[in-house]
Amino acid sequence: MNHSEERKIRMVIVGCGNVAEKRHAPLCDASPYVELYGFFNRTREKAERFAKKYGGKVYGSLEEVLQDQMVDAILVATSEGSHWEISVAGLEAGKHVLCEKPMASSPEQCRAMIAAEEKSGKKLMINHNQRLYAPHIKAKQLIQEGAVGKVLYFRTEYSFRGHETNAEGIINKNHYDRINHVHGVLSQVGSHRIDLMNFLLEEEVDEVFLAAHTLAKTFSNGEPIPYEDQSVLNIRYKNGIVGTVENSWLDFSDNGRKTFIYGTEGTIETYAGQWGVVLHKRNGERVYYDVGRIPGHYEPPLTKIVDIFAKCVLEDTKPLCTSREGLHCLQIINAAYESQKTNTWTKVRA
């Protein structure tokens, strides 16, 4: 890096949609390790709106971003169908890449990203930020300490009202018309929890069984969206642990994010009312852990995912979520969609 003495990386956000507005731009702007250098979006007006708020350049094309030698890294916040092409182009241009989840739409695209990463020598980190939520950090600590004995199974949920309805209840009816999703809620939301459980359990998945439906979400003309808005994924790990990942864009409770981890000696419950974590012991005792205020989906404090990525670049350390971990998550999702087609348990292929 040609300005490492400043201990900052110059970052450009590619894709100026809802997630970039609510998460990435504020995180980059607040980071002591990042200079928010610019923005690119297919609809230029969106990039201009970000630049007006945060400062920085507005780029007319992705090529212009990648040709700018002042840019150290890009944050890919587009829809998942374009993640891999933008990431590969960024890596080949010598830029570090922080890529939104899911990493791509297929394992083949993930492998292309990994190949570009290895050839370029640059960092590629996948934005699985659930690993950084305080209740999940505490849950992992309890698992590692043996607080529940041998883990047997789990039940995790991550559901909300859908991105077309904001926190004030204002509905944008053409949301799904303009968002170029390849898959639905399992990929868009479930990928968070699939990665989280891999992170908590430190095991690889053997096989999966998916039941998914399109129940309510539509295009602006009233036609159902062509992918699922509700899913239940059954998972079996190679060490015998089993579990269920439930996701939907149908939950108005604002707390559809609980996880239960069941072991031989107790149960861990996250997001348990006012408590971040409750440990239910086999003898009936309950231990309550206060992990600080539990924010809503887009409420501060946000995770330090951007800081972690920037420090990974500056200090040349391992990314929080590596590209190969992102690949395993996609292999699980890919097997899940195969399972839905065949209505059978499906092996996760390496």
Side-chain angles (χ1 to χ4, degrees), residues 4-236:
S4 59
E5 69 278 0
E6 298 176 16
R7 305 301 292 168
K8 285 191 175 186
I9 63 171
R10 293 189 178 102
M11 181 99 84
V12 170
I13 294 178
V14 178
C16 300
N18 187 59
V19 174
E21 181 180 3
K22 297 290 182 63
R23 289 189 184 276
H24 300 316
L27 285 171
C28 289
D29 185 55
S31 175
Y33 310 107
V34 171
E35 177 183 347
L36 188 45
Y37 198 69
F39 307 92
F40 167 67
N41 195 78
R42 287 182 304 175
T43 305
R44 186 183 177 92
E45 289 76 16
K46 288 186 177 181
E48 289 173 344
R49 189 171 73 246
F50 275 61
K52 184 176 181 180
K53 182 174 183 178
Y54 296 103
K57 299 176 65 174
V58 174
Y59 292 87
S61 67
L62 179 62
E63 291 70 24
E64 187 181 336
V65 176
L66 302 183
Q67 290 168 7
D68 190 341
Q69 295 302 307
M70 296 298 289
V71 177
D72 298 308
I74 61 172
L75 196 163
V76 181
T78 57
S79 57
E80 90 274 16
S82 58
H83 284 179
W84 77 282
E85 290 181 301
I86 296 171
S87 296
V88 167
L91 292 163
E92 289 179 344
K95 313 300 183 188
H96 302 280
V97 176
L98 175 58
C99 181
E100 252 299 343
K101 59 79 212 161
M103 181 177 175
S105 301
S106 71
E108 293 72 26
Q109 293 173 355
C110 292
R111 293 189 186 96
M113 295 166 71
I114 292 171
E117 174 192 22
E118 293 174 347
K119 186 176 180 179
S120 70
K122 299 298 179 180
K123 303 292 184 183
L124 170 59
M125 189 170 106
I126 313 305
N127 188 26
H128 281 295
N129 61 358
Q130 294 276 315
R131 297 178 178 211
L132 298 174
Y133 286 17
H136 301 154
I137 292 171
K138 187 63 183 180
K140 180 160 185 168
Q141 178 191 337
L142 291 171
I143 293 170
Q144 292 179 327
E145 290 173 352
V148 296
K150 179 184 178 183
V151 176
L152 302 173
Y153 79 108
F154 65 85
R155 186 161 51 90
T156 188
E157 176 192 9
Y158 195 31
S159 299
F160 52 93
R161 62 187 63 203
H163 290 298
E164 83 284 4
T165 308
N166 67 19
E168 290 74 39
I170 299 172
I171 298 173
N172 179 4
K173 290 186 176 181
N174 73 346
H175 171 81
Y176 297 104
D177 299 45
R178 59 184 178 79
I179 299 298
N180 182 31
H181 287 329
V182 176
H183 298 299
V185 74
L186 173 67
S187 176
Q188 295 299 308
V189 181
S191 56
H192 268 312
R193 286 310 170 92
I194 292 168
D195 175 78
L196 173 66
M197 297 315 302
N198 293 346
F199 174 69
L200 293 180
L201 301 175
E202 297 185 356
E203 297 289 341
E204 289 196 348
V205 173
D206 180 35
E207 58 182 352
V208 295
F209 184 93
L210 174 66
H213 306 87
T214 306
L215 300 175
K217 301 304 182 184
T218 66
F219 292 126
S220 58
N221 65 4
E223 292 181 8
I225 58 175
Y227 37 76
E228 75 284 354
D229 59 17
Q230 179 271 341
S231 67
V232 178
L233 179 65
N234 291 287
I235 294 179
R236 183 177 291 121

Side-chain angles (χ1 to χ4, degrees), residues 239-276:
N239 68 345
I241 295 174
V242 296
T244 303
V245 179
E246 300 183 21
N247 305 109
S248 83
W249 283 321
L250 308 169
D251 188 335
F252 295 94
S253 74
D254 292 328
N255 193 38
R257 48 186 173 168
K258 282 178 172 282
T259 297
F260 292 88
I261 298 161
Y262 305 92
T264 55
E265 302 301 323
T267 299
I268 295 168
E269 178 186 2
T270 70
Y271 291 94
Q274 65 177 310
W275 301 103

